[in-house]
Amino acid sequence: VNDMSEIIGSLLDYSRTMAHGKTLSDIRLLISEVVGEVGIPESIRLKMSLDGVIRPVSINRTQMKRVFVNLIRNAIEVMPDGGEIE
């Protein structure tokens, strides 16, 4: 049901004109939010290295969040027996 909801949401987003509201955002914070929401299985280790200087970037947070969610979910799907996401 959640997957179908996301697909429908994506189709609706695609079909309407979206505002390109960009804001200065901290990518580290955005990635941390996404990781907290996705729900990574216990069989998969997550290795995050967000050290160093990363300047805020001008992005559409909603769209960028969707990118990170999709990347993480795709990584989880290709590791049914577990693994590591870095």
Side-chain angles (χ1 to χ4, degrees), residues 23-59:
T23 58
L24 276 180
S25 300
D26 182 341
I27 290 294
R28 288 179 285 214
L29 180 60
L30 185 64
I31 292 171
S32 295
E33 288 175 20
V34 168
V35 166
E37 293 175 10
V38 169
I40 297 174
E42 289 182 19
S43 62
I44 296 178
R45 290 182 320 237
L46 177 66
K47 183 178 176 184
M48 292 192 342
S49 177
L50 301 173
D51 298 334
V53 177
I54 301 175
R55 295 183 180 144
V57 291
S58 180
I59 58 171

PDB file of all heavy atoms in Angstrom, residues 23-59:
ATOM      1  N   THR A  23      15.627  26.208  -1.489  1.00  0.00           N
ATOM      2  CA  THR A  23      16.090  26.830  -0.250  1.00  0.00           C
ATOM      3  C   THR A  23      17.495  26.337   0.045  1.00  0.00           C
ATOM      4  O   THR A  23      17.885  25.251  -0.385  1.00  0.00           O
ATOM      5  CB  THR A  23      15.171  26.470   0.941  1.00  0.00           C
ATOM      6  OG1 THR A  23      15.127  25.047   1.070  1.00  0.00           O
ATOM      7  CG2 THR A  23      13.766  26.996   0.747  1.00  0.00           C
ATOM      8  N   LEU A  24      18.229  27.134   0.795  1.00  0.00           N
ATOM      9  CA  LEU A  24      19.548  26.685   1.244  1.00  0.00           C
ATOM     10  C   LEU A  24      19.341  25.599   2.272  1.00  0.00           C
ATOM     11  O   LEU A  24      18.620  25.782   3.250  1.00  0.00           O
ATOM     12  CB  LEU A  24      20.343  27.842   1.854  1.00  0.00           C
ATOM     13  CG  LEU A  24      21.105  28.720   0.869  1.00  0.00           C
ATOM     14  CD1 LEU A  24      21.842  29.819   1.621  1.00  0.00           C
ATOM     15  CD2 LEU A  24      22.076  27.915   0.038  1.00  0.00           C
ATOM     16  N   SER A  25      19.947  24.453   2.048  1.00  0.00           N
ATOM     17  CA  SER A  25      19.731  23.309   2.925  1.00  0.00           C
ATOM     18  C   SER A  25      21.039  22.605   3.239  1.00  0.00           C
ATOM     19  O   SER A  25      21.963  22.586   2.429  1.00  0.00           O
ATOM     20  CB  SER A  25      18.786  22.308   2.257  1.00  0.00           C
ATOM     21  OG  SER A  25      17.543  22.908   1.975  1.00  0.00           O
ATOM     22  N   ASP A  26      21.062  21.984   4.398  1.00  0.00           N
ATOM     23  CA  ASP A  26      22.192  21.174   4.836  1.00  0.00           C
ATOM     24  C   ASP A  26      21.935  19.739   4.390  1.00  0.00           C
ATOM     25  O   ASP A  26      21.014  19.079   4.882  1.00  0.00           O
ATOM     26  CB  ASP A  26      22.321  21.259   6.355  1.00  0.00           C
ATOM     27  CG  ASP A  26      23.509  20.487   6.905  1.00  0.00           C
ATOM     28  OD1 ASP A  26      24.036  19.595   6.212  1.00  0.00           O
ATOM     29  OD2 ASP A  26      23.900  20.782   8.044  1.00  0.00           O
ATOM     30  N   ILE A  27      22.717  19.272   3.437  1.00  0.00           N
ATOM     31  CA  ILE A  27      22.537  17.923   2.889  1.00  0.00           C
ATOM     32  C   ILE A  27      22.680  16.861   3.979  1.00  0.00           C
ATOM     33  O   ILE A  27      21.960  15.859   3.976  1.00  0.00           O
ATOM     34  CB  ILE A  27      23.534  17.670   1.741  1.00  0.00           C
ATOM     35  CG1 ILE A  27      23.160  18.511   0.523  1.00  0.00           C
ATOM     36  CG2 ILE A  27      23.616  16.207   1.362  1.00  0.00           C
ATOM     37  CD1 ILE A  27      21.845  18.136  -0.128  1.00  0.00           C
ATOM     38  N   ARG A  28      23.605  17.057   4.917  1.00  0.00           N
ATOM     39  CA  ARG A  28      23.782  16.072   5.999  1.00  0.00           C
ATOM     40  C   ARG A  28      22.492  15.895   6.777  1.00  0.00           C
ATOM     41  O   ARG A  28      22.096  14.774   7.089  1.00  0.00           O
ATOM     42  CB  ARG A  28      24.905  16.506   6.932  1.00  0.00           C
ATOM     43  CG  ARG A  28      26.283  16.374   6.338  1.00  0.00           C
ATOM     44  CD  ARG A  28      27.303  16.832   7.316  1.00  0.00           C
ATOM     45  NE  ARG A  28      27.243  18.293   7.357  1.00  0.00           N
ATOM     46  CZ  ARG A  28      28.278  19.072   7.539  1.00  0.00           C
ATOM     47  NH1 ARG A  28      29.468  18.563   7.749  1.00  0.00           N
ATOM     48  NH2 ARG A  28      28.142  20.380   7.540  1.00  0.00           N
ATOM     49  N   LEU A  29      21.830  17.004   7.093  1.00  0.00           N
ATOM     50  CA  LEU A  29      20.579  16.938   7.838  1.00  0.00           C
ATOM     51  C   LEU A  29      19.502  16.233   7.021  1.00  0.00           C
ATOM     52  O   LEU A  29      18.764  15.393   7.541  1.00  0.00           O
ATOM     53  CB  LEU A  29      20.131  18.348   8.232  1.00  0.00           C
ATOM     54  CG  LEU A  29      18.843  18.450   9.023  1.00  0.00           C
ATOM     55  CD1 LEU A  29      18.946  17.682  10.335  1.00  0.00           C
ATOM     56  CD2 LEU A  29      18.506  19.905   9.295  1.00  0.00           C
ATOM     57  N   LEU A  30      19.434  16.542   5.747  1.00  0.00           N
ATOM     58  CA  LEU A  30      18.438  15.919   4.877  1.00  0.00           C
ATOM     59  C   LEU A  30      18.650  14.412   4.787  1.00  0.00           C
ATOM     60  O   LEU A  30      17.701  13.630   4.901  1.00  0.00           O
ATOM     61  CB  LEU A  30      18.484  16.548   3.485  1.00  0.00           C
ATOM     62  CG  LEU A  30      17.418  16.086   2.501  1.00  0.00           C
ATOM     63  CD1 LEU A  30      16.026  16.469   2.981  1.00  0.00           C
ATOM     64  CD2 LEU A  30      17.676  16.681   1.131  1.00  0.00           C
ATOM     65  N   ILE A  31      19.893  13.987   4.614  1.00  0.00           N
ATOM     66  CA  ILE A  31      20.192  12.548   4.543  1.00  0.00           C
ATOM     67  C   ILE A  31      19.842  11.866   5.860  1.00  0.00           C
ATOM     68  O   ILE A  31      19.262  10.782   5.872  1.00  0.00           O
ATOM     69  CB  ILE A  31      21.667  12.317   4.162  1.00  0.00           C
ATOM     70  CG1 ILE A  31      21.911  12.760   2.718  1.00  0.00           C
ATOM     71  CG2 ILE A  31      22.059  10.845   4.348  1.00  0.00           C
ATOM     72  CD1 ILE A  31      23.360  12.774   2.303  1.00  0.00           C
ATOM     73  N   SER A  32      20.161  12.503   6.975  1.00  0.00           N
ATOM     74  CA  SER A  32      19.830  11.935   8.287  1.00  0.00           C
ATOM     75  C   SER A  32      18.319  11.778   8.445  1.00  0.00           C
ATOM     76  O   SER A  32      17.845  10.774   8.980  1.00  0.00           O
ATOM     77  CB  SER A  32      20.387  12.810   9.404  1.00  0.00           C
ATOM     78  OG  SER A  32      21.790  12.804   9.372  1.00  0.00           O
ATOM     79  N   GLU A  33      17.557  12.762   7.981  1.00  0.00           N
ATOM     80  CA  GLU A  33      16.092  12.672   8.044  1.00  0.00           C
ATOM     81  C   GLU A  33      15.592  11.485   7.228  1.00  0.00           C
ATOM     82  O   GLU A  33      14.749  10.711   7.690  1.00  0.00           O
ATOM     83  CB  GLU A  33      15.458  13.950   7.493  1.00  0.00           C
ATOM     84  CG  GLU A  33      15.593  15.154   8.378  1.00  0.00           C
ATOM     85  CD  GLU A  33      15.056  16.416   7.703  1.00  0.00           C
ATOM     86  OE1 GLU A  33      14.259  16.308   6.744  1.00  0.00           O
ATOM     87  OE2 GLU A  33      15.445  17.514   8.148  1.00  0.00           O
ATOM     88  N   VAL A  34      16.113  11.343   6.017  1.00  0.00           N
ATOM     89  CA  VAL A  34      15.680  10.269   5.132  1.00  0.00           C
ATOM     90  C   VAL A  34      16.001   8.906   5.733  1.00  0.00           C
ATOM     91  O   VAL A  34      15.161   8.008   5.746  1.00  0.00           O
ATOM     92  CB  VAL A  34      16.318  10.419   3.728  1.00  0.00           C
ATOM     93  CG1 VAL A  34      16.104   9.167   2.894  1.00  0.00           C
ATOM     94  CG2 VAL A  34      15.760  11.640   3.026  1.00  0.00           C
ATOM     95  N   VAL A  35      17.206   8.753   6.261  1.00  0.00           N
ATOM     96  CA  VAL A  35      17.614   7.478   6.862  1.00  0.00           C
ATOM     97  C   VAL A  35      16.681   7.128   8.024  1.00  0.00           C
ATOM     98  O   VAL A  35      16.287   5.975   8.181  1.00  0.00           O
ATOM     99  CB  VAL A  35      19.088   7.543   7.325  1.00  0.00           C
ATOM    100  CG1 VAL A  35      19.423   6.377   8.234  1.00  0.00           C
ATOM    101  CG2 VAL A  35      20.008   7.569   6.116  1.00  0.00           C
ATOM    102  N   GLY A  36      16.287   8.120   8.794  1.00  0.00           N
ATOM    103  CA  GLY A  36      15.371   7.882   9.905  1.00  0.00           C
ATOM    104  C   GLY A  36      13.982   7.471   9.461  1.00  0.00           C
ATOM    105  O   GLY A  36      13.277   6.767  10.175  1.00  0.00           O
ATOM    106  N   GLU A  37      13.576   7.896   8.290  1.00  0.00           N
ATOM    107  CA  GLU A  37      12.230   7.608   7.797  1.00  0.00           C
ATOM    108  C   GLU A  37      12.126   6.318   6.991  1.00  0.00           C
ATOM    109  O   GLU A  37      11.066   5.704   6.953  1.00  0.00           O
ATOM    110  CB  GLU A  37      11.740   8.768   6.917  1.00  0.00           C
ATOM    111  CG  GLU A  37      11.523  10.049   7.682  1.00  0.00           C
ATOM    112  CD  GLU A  37      11.163  11.217   6.768  1.00  0.00           C
ATOM    113  OE1 GLU A  37      10.893  10.989   5.573  1.00  0.00           O
ATOM    114  OE2 GLU A  37      11.174  12.356   7.261  1.00  0.00           O
ATOM    115  N   VAL A  38      13.199   5.914   6.331  1.00  0.00           N
ATOM    116  CA  VAL A  38      13.130   4.786   5.401  1.00  0.00           C
ATOM    117  C   VAL A  38      12.934   3.453   6.115  1.00  0.00           C
ATOM    118  O   VAL A  38      12.187   2.607   5.657  1.00  0.00           O
ATOM    119  CB  VAL A  38      14.386   4.748   4.489  1.00  0.00           C
ATOM    120  CG1 VAL A  38      14.464   3.443   3.724  1.00  0.00           C
ATOM    121  CG2 VAL A  38      14.362   5.915   3.533  1.00  0.00           C
ATOM    122  N   GLY A  39      13.573   3.248   7.240  1.00  0.00           N
ATOM    123  CA  GLY A  39      13.467   1.964   7.922  1.00  0.00           C
ATOM    124  C   GLY A  39      14.362   0.924   7.283  1.00  0.00           C
ATOM    125  O   GLY A  39      13.936   0.168   6.416  1.00  0.00           O
ATOM    126  N   ILE A  40      15.600   0.921   7.685  1.00  0.00           N
ATOM    127  CA  ILE A  40      16.587   0.007   7.110  1.00  0.00           C
ATOM    128  C   ILE A  40      16.544  -1.318   7.876  1.00  0.00           C
ATOM    129  O   ILE A  40      16.617  -1.325   9.103  1.00  0.00           O
ATOM    130  CB  ILE A  40      17.988   0.642   7.158  1.00  0.00           C
ATOM    131  CG1 ILE A  40      17.970   1.908   6.288  1.00  0.00           C
ATOM    132  CG2 ILE A  40      19.059  -0.333   6.693  1.00  0.00           C
ATOM    133  CD1 ILE A  40      19.213   2.725   6.321  1.00  0.00           C
ATOM    134  N   PRO A  41      16.416  -2.442   7.157  1.00  0.00           N
ATOM    135  CA  PRO A  41      16.364  -3.753   7.815  1.00  0.00           C
ATOM    136  C   PRO A  41      17.624  -4.026   8.642  1.00  0.00           C
ATOM    137  O   PRO A  41      18.705  -3.508   8.337  1.00  0.00           O
ATOM    138  CB  PRO A  41      16.264  -4.738   6.646  1.00  0.00           C
ATOM    139  CG  PRO A  41      15.828  -3.938   5.481  1.00  0.00           C
ATOM    140  CD  PRO A  41      16.330  -2.548   5.707  1.00  0.00           C
ATOM    141  N   GLU A  42      17.482  -4.862   9.658  1.00  0.00           N
ATOM    142  CA  GLU A  42      18.611  -5.192  10.533  1.00  0.00           C
ATOM    143  C   GLU A  42      19.731  -5.911   9.784  1.00  0.00           C
ATOM    144  O   GLU A  42      20.891  -5.849  10.189  1.00  0.00           O
ATOM    145  CB  GLU A  42      18.136  -6.052  11.698  1.00  0.00           C
ATOM    146  CG  GLU A  42      17.292  -5.289  12.693  1.00  0.00           C
ATOM    147  CD  GLU A  42      16.877  -6.147  13.877  1.00  0.00           C
ATOM    148  OE1 GLU A  42      17.511  -7.190  14.117  1.00  0.00           O
ATOM    149  OE2 GLU A  42      15.918  -5.763  14.558  1.00  0.00           O
ATOM    150  N   SER A  43      19.395  -6.580   8.687  1.00  0.00           N
ATOM    151  CA  SER A  43      20.402  -7.326   7.933  1.00  0.00           C
ATOM    152  C   SER A  43      21.289  -6.415   7.080  1.00  0.00           C
ATOM    153  O   SER A  43      22.258  -6.867   6.484  1.00  0.00           O
ATOM    154  CB  SER A  43      19.727  -8.359   7.029  1.00  0.00           C
ATOM    155  OG  SER A  43      18.890  -7.708   6.092  1.00  0.00           O
ATOM    156  N   ILE A  44      20.947  -5.142   7.041  1.00  0.00           N
ATOM    157  CA  ILE A  44      21.724  -4.179   6.248  1.00  0.00           C
ATOM    158  C   ILE A  44      22.364  -3.165   7.176  1.00  0.00           C
ATOM    159  O   ILE A  44      21.690  -2.540   7.995  1.00  0.00           O
ATOM    160  CB  ILE A  44      20.835  -3.481   5.203  1.00  0.00           C
ATOM    161  CG1 ILE A  44      20.321  -4.511   4.198  1.00  0.00           C
ATOM    162  CG2 ILE A  44      21.608  -2.357   4.495  1.00  0.00           C
ATOM    163  CD1 ILE A  44      19.402  -3.956   3.143  1.00  0.00           C
ATOM    164  N   ARG A  45      23.693  -3.040   7.032  1.00  0.00           N
ATOM    165  CA  ARG A  45      24.427  -2.036   7.822  1.00  0.00           C
ATOM    166  C   ARG A  45      24.483  -0.750   7.032  1.00  0.00           C
ATOM    167  O   ARG A  45      24.662  -0.748   5.818  1.00  0.00           O
ATOM    168  CB  ARG A  45      25.845  -2.514   8.097  1.00  0.00           C
ATOM    169  CG  ARG A  45      25.937  -3.678   9.055  1.00  0.00           C
ATOM    170  CD  ARG A  45      27.393  -4.025   9.297  1.00  0.00           C
ATOM    171  NE  ARG A  45      28.152  -3.922   8.051  1.00  0.00           N
ATOM    172  CZ  ARG A  45      28.851  -4.896   7.507  1.00  0.00           C
ATOM    173  NH1 ARG A  45      28.934  -6.050   8.096  1.00  0.00           N
ATOM    174  NH2 ARG A  45      29.505  -4.731   6.383  1.00  0.00           N
ATOM    175  N   LEU A  46      24.369   0.343   7.747  1.00  0.00           N
ATOM    176  CA  LEU A  46      24.460   1.655   7.125  1.00  0.00           C
ATOM    177  C   LEU A  46      25.736   2.318   7.610  1.00  0.00           C
ATOM    178  O   LEU A  46      25.964   2.443   8.808  1.00  0.00           O
ATOM    179  CB  LEU A  46      23.254   2.519   7.501  1.00  0.00           C
ATOM    180  CG  LEU A  46      23.258   3.944   6.967  1.00  0.00           C
ATOM    181  CD1 LEU A  46      23.159   3.934   5.450  1.00  0.00           C
ATOM    182  CD2 LEU A  46      22.135   4.729   7.580  1.00  0.00           C
ATOM    183  N   LYS A  47      26.572   2.711   6.672  1.00  0.00           N
ATOM    184  CA  LYS A  47      27.834   3.367   7.004  1.00  0.00           C
ATOM    185  C   LYS A  47      27.785   4.776   6.417  1.00  0.00           C
ATOM    186  O   LYS A  47      27.829   4.956   5.203  1.00  0.00           O
ATOM    187  CB  LYS A  47      29.005   2.578   6.419  1.00  0.00           C
ATOM    188  CG  LYS A  47      30.351   3.144   6.761  1.00  0.00           C
ATOM    189  CD  LYS A  47      31.449   2.273   6.173  1.00  0.00           C
ATOM    190  CE  LYS A  47      32.811   2.878   6.420  1.00  0.00           C
ATOM    191  NZ  LYS A  47      33.867   2.089   5.762  1.00  0.00           N
ATOM    192  N   MET A  48      27.639   5.764   7.316  1.00  0.00           N
ATOM    193  CA  MET A  48      27.550   7.147   6.860  1.00  0.00           C
ATOM    194  C   MET A  48      28.816   7.894   7.229  1.00  0.00           C
ATOM    195  O   MET A  48      29.279   7.832   8.357  1.00  0.00           O
ATOM    196  CB  MET A  48      26.345   7.859   7.486  1.00  0.00           C
ATOM    197  CG  MET A  48      25.052   7.325   6.996  1.00  0.00           C
ATOM    198  SD  MET A  48      23.559   8.284   7.398  1.00  0.00           S
ATOM    199  CE  MET A  48      23.971   9.335   8.715  1.00  0.00           C
ATOM    200  N   SER A  49      29.359   8.594   6.266  1.00  0.00           N
ATOM    201  CA  SER A  49      30.530   9.414   6.487  1.00  0.00           C
ATOM    202  C   SER A  49      30.199  10.822   6.012  1.00  0.00           C
ATOM    203  O   SER A  49      30.306  11.130   4.826  1.00  0.00           O
ATOM    204  CB  SER A  49      31.731   8.855   5.726  1.00  0.00           C
ATOM    205  OG  SER A  49      32.837   9.716   5.894  1.00  0.00           O
ATOM    206  N   LEU A  50      29.726  11.637   6.934  1.00  0.00           N
ATOM    207  CA  LEU A  50      29.302  12.985   6.582  1.00  0.00           C
ATOM    208  C   LEU A  50      30.195  14.018   7.249  1.00  0.00           C
ATOM    209  O   LEU A  50      29.760  15.097   7.623  1.00  0.00           O
ATOM    210  CB  LEU A  50      27.844  13.192   6.987  1.00  0.00           C
ATOM    211  CG  LEU A  50      26.841  12.229   6.354  1.00  0.00           C
ATOM    212  CD1 LEU A  50      25.459  12.425   6.949  1.00  0.00           C
ATOM    213  CD2 LEU A  50      26.795  12.404   4.856  1.00  0.00           C
ATOM    214  N   ASP A  51      31.465  13.684   7.400  1.00  0.00           N
ATOM    215  CA  ASP A  51      32.411  14.592   8.028  1.00  0.00           C
ATOM    216  C   ASP A  51      32.923  15.603   7.020  1.00  0.00           C
ATOM    217  O   ASP A  51      32.717  15.483   5.821  1.00  0.00           O
ATOM    218  CB  ASP A  51      33.596  13.813   8.606  1.00  0.00           C
ATOM    219  CG  ASP A  51      33.150  12.844   9.698  1.00  0.00           C
ATOM    220  OD1 ASP A  51      32.118  13.094  10.330  1.00  0.00           O
ATOM    221  OD2 ASP A  51      33.844  11.831   9.890  1.00  0.00           O
ATOM    222  N   GLY A  52      33.639  16.574   7.524  1.00  0.00           N
ATOM    223  CA  GLY A  52      34.238  17.570   6.657  1.00  0.00           C
ATOM    224  C   GLY A  52      33.306  18.743   6.423  1.00  0.00           C
ATOM    225  O   GLY A  52      32.192  18.803   6.925  1.00  0.00           O
ATOM    226  N   VAL A  53      33.770  19.653   5.639  1.00  0.00           N
ATOM    227  CA  VAL A  53      33.005  20.858   5.346  1.00  0.00           C
ATOM    228  C   VAL A  53      32.093  20.603   4.160  1.00  0.00           C
ATOM    229  O   VAL A  53      32.550  20.298   3.061  1.00  0.00           O
ATOM    230  CB  VAL A  53      33.944  22.049   5.035  1.00  0.00           C
ATOM    231  CG1 VAL A  53      33.149  23.271   4.657  1.00  0.00           C
ATOM    232  CG2 VAL A  53      34.859  22.326   6.217  1.00  0.00           C
ATOM    233  N   ILE A  54      30.820  20.676   4.412  1.00  0.00           N
ATOM    234  CA  ILE A  54      29.831  20.570   3.350  1.00  0.00           C
ATOM    235  C   ILE A  54      28.971  21.822   3.451  1.00  0.00           C
ATOM    236  O   ILE A  54      28.229  21.998   4.411  1.00  0.00           O
ATOM    237  CB  ILE A  54      28.957  19.304   3.481  1.00  0.00           C
ATOM    238  CG1 ILE A  54      29.826  18.047   3.442  1.00  0.00           C
ATOM    239  CG2 ILE A  54      27.908  19.272   2.375  1.00  0.00           C
ATOM    240  CD1 ILE A  54      29.063  16.758   3.679  1.00  0.00           C
ATOM    241  N   ARG A  55      29.098  22.659   2.493  1.00  0.00           N
ATOM    242  CA  ARG A  55      28.359  23.920   2.509  1.00  0.00           C
ATOM    243  C   ARG A  55      26.889  23.685   2.193  1.00  0.00           C
ATOM    244  O   ARG A  55      26.549  22.758   1.445  1.00  0.00           O
ATOM    245  CB  ARG A  55      28.955  24.880   1.491  1.00  0.00           C
ATOM    246  CG  ARG A  55      30.348  25.285   1.840  1.00  0.00           C
ATOM    247  CD  ARG A  55      30.871  26.295   0.836  1.00  0.00           C
ATOM    248  NE  ARG A  55      32.230  26.653   1.215  1.00  0.00           N
ATOM    249  CZ  ARG A  55      33.196  26.900   0.373  1.00  0.00           C
ATOM    250  NH1 ARG A  55      32.960  26.839  -0.922  1.00  0.00           N
ATOM    251  NH2 ARG A  55      34.385  27.222   0.798  1.00  0.00           N
ATOM    252  N   PRO A  56      26.021  24.547   2.733  1.00  0.00           N
ATOM    253  CA  PRO A  56      24.601  24.456   2.364  1.00  0.00           C
ATOM    254  C   PRO A  56      24.440  24.640   0.854  1.00  0.00           C
ATOM    255  O   PRO A  56      25.181  25.393   0.221  1.00  0.00           O
ATOM    256  CB  PRO A  56      23.962  25.624   3.119  1.00  0.00           C
ATOM    257  CG  PRO A  56      24.900  25.904   4.251  1.00  0.00           C
ATOM    258  CD  PRO A  56      26.269  25.590   3.724  1.00  0.00           C
ATOM    259  N   VAL A  57      23.476  23.933   0.288  1.00  0.00           N
ATOM    260  CA  VAL A  57      23.226  24.011  -1.144  1.00  0.00           C
ATOM    261  C   VAL A  57      21.783  24.468  -1.383  1.00  0.00           C
ATOM    262  O   VAL A  57      20.896  24.221  -0.573  1.00  0.00           O
ATOM    263  CB  VAL A  57      23.480  22.661  -1.853  1.00  0.00           C
ATOM    264  CG1 VAL A  57      24.945  22.315  -1.860  1.00  0.00           C
ATOM    265  CG2 VAL A  57      22.684  21.550  -1.207  1.00  0.00           C
ATOM    266  N   SER A  58      21.562  25.107  -2.515  1.00  0.00           N
ATOM    267  CA  SER A  58      20.239  25.574  -2.887  1.00  0.00           C
ATOM    268  C   SER A  58      19.516  24.445  -3.629  1.00  0.00           C
ATOM    269  O   SER A  58      19.884  24.104  -4.754  1.00  0.00           O
ATOM    270  CB  SER A  58      20.361  26.814  -3.770  1.00  0.00           C
ATOM    271  OG  SER A  58      19.073  27.263  -4.138  1.00  0.00           O
ATOM    272  N   ILE A  59      18.508  23.853  -2.972  1.00  0.00           N
ATOM    273  CA  ILE A  59      17.803  22.706  -3.550  1.00  0.00           C
ATOM    274  C   ILE A  59      16.311  22.810  -3.271  1.00  0.00           C
ATOM    275  O   ILE A  59      15.863  23.543  -2.399  1.00  0.00           O
ATOM    276  CB  ILE A  59      18.302  21.369  -2.960  1.00  0.00           C
ATOM    277  CG1 ILE A  59      18.136  21.351  -1.437  1.00  0.00           C
ATOM    278  CG2 ILE A  59      19.716  21.064  -3.381  1.00  0.00           C
ATOM    279  CD1 ILE A  59      18.389  20.020  -0.789  1.00  0.00           C
TER     280      ILE A  59
END
